[in-house]
Amino acid sequence: MTKLFVYGTLKRGECNNDLLIQYGAKFVCVDKVPNHGVYGPFPIAGPAEGIDLEGEVWDHIRTELWERLDALELGYRRKETFTLAEHKVMLYVYGGILGKLPPWKKISTRWPTEEFLW
């Protein structure tokens, strides 16, 4: 069964984490995905050389949950990758209409971050 890596609103304590719990997903560990970062004030992930994206690994992701996650993550696409601890995971990365990341200059290792507080 494929694991899920979350870095934004699906993390424990964030507003969409209940969706994972509701569908029986199980928290595995805190981990990082190499060469990825968060762009801007929103949890938008994309490639970032030399940066390790902080987040959580979740397991027991059933088909019904993947469908709900895909609906929640409109504008994102799933990407298969590995974490630093060598968990094979699916990561939602930005896949905007033009396929380009937003033009924010700051790239962070985690979300939320104080760098972008208004």
Side-chain angles (χ1 to χ4, degrees), residues 36-50:
H36 284 77
V38 176
Y39 288 74
F42 309 104
I44 297 174
E49 189 67 33

Side-chain angles (χ1 to χ4, degrees), residues 88-110:
K88 185 177 181 180
V89 296
M90 295 302 281
L91 164 69
Y92 280 93
V93 295
Y94 185 72
I97 296 170
L98 301 176
K100 295 180 182 177
L101 285 163
W104 291 297
K105 302 221 183 313
K106 295 238 181 202
I107 303 170
S108 298
T109 60
R110 64 183 155 76

Side-chain angles (χ1 to χ4, degrees), residues 2-115:
T2 304
K3 294 180 176 98
L4 170 68
F5 183 85
V6 300
Y7 57 88
T9 65
L10 290 165
K11 291 188 306 186
R12 295 171 299 159
E14 296 295 338
C15 62
N16 286 318
N17 181 256
D18 286 348
L19 181 62
L20 298 180
I21 304 302
Q22 175 186 351
Y23 280 86
K26 303 292 183 204
F27 173 78
V28 176
C29 64
V30 172
D31 204 345
K32 296 179 180 182
V33 171
N35 297 313
H36 284 77
V38 176
Y39 288 74
F42 309 104
I44 297 174
E49 189 67 33
I51 293 178
D52 298 332
L53 177 61
E54 298 176 18
E56 301 173 350
V57 176
W58 287 75
D59 203 357
H60 300 285
I61 312 298
R62 301 186 325 239
T63 301
E64 299 84 14
L65 179 53
W66 283 119
E67 291 169 359
R68 287 291 307 272
L69 291 170
D70 288 345
L72 175 70
E73 302 292 1
L74 287 176
Y76 294 77
R77 62 180 174 79
R78 283 192 243 163
K79 174 183 178 180
E80 187 175 83
T81 190
F82 286 89
T83 67
L84 291 179
E86 299 185 8
H87 291 281
K88 185 177 181 180
V89 296
M90 295 302 281
L91 164 69
Y92 280 93
V93 295
Y94 185 72
I97 296 170
L98 301 176
K100 295 180 182 177
L101 285 163
W104 291 297
K105 302 221 183 313
K106 295 238 181 202
I107 303 170
S108 298
T109 60
R110 64 183 155 76
W111 182 91
T113 176
E114 292 180 16
E115 297 171 58

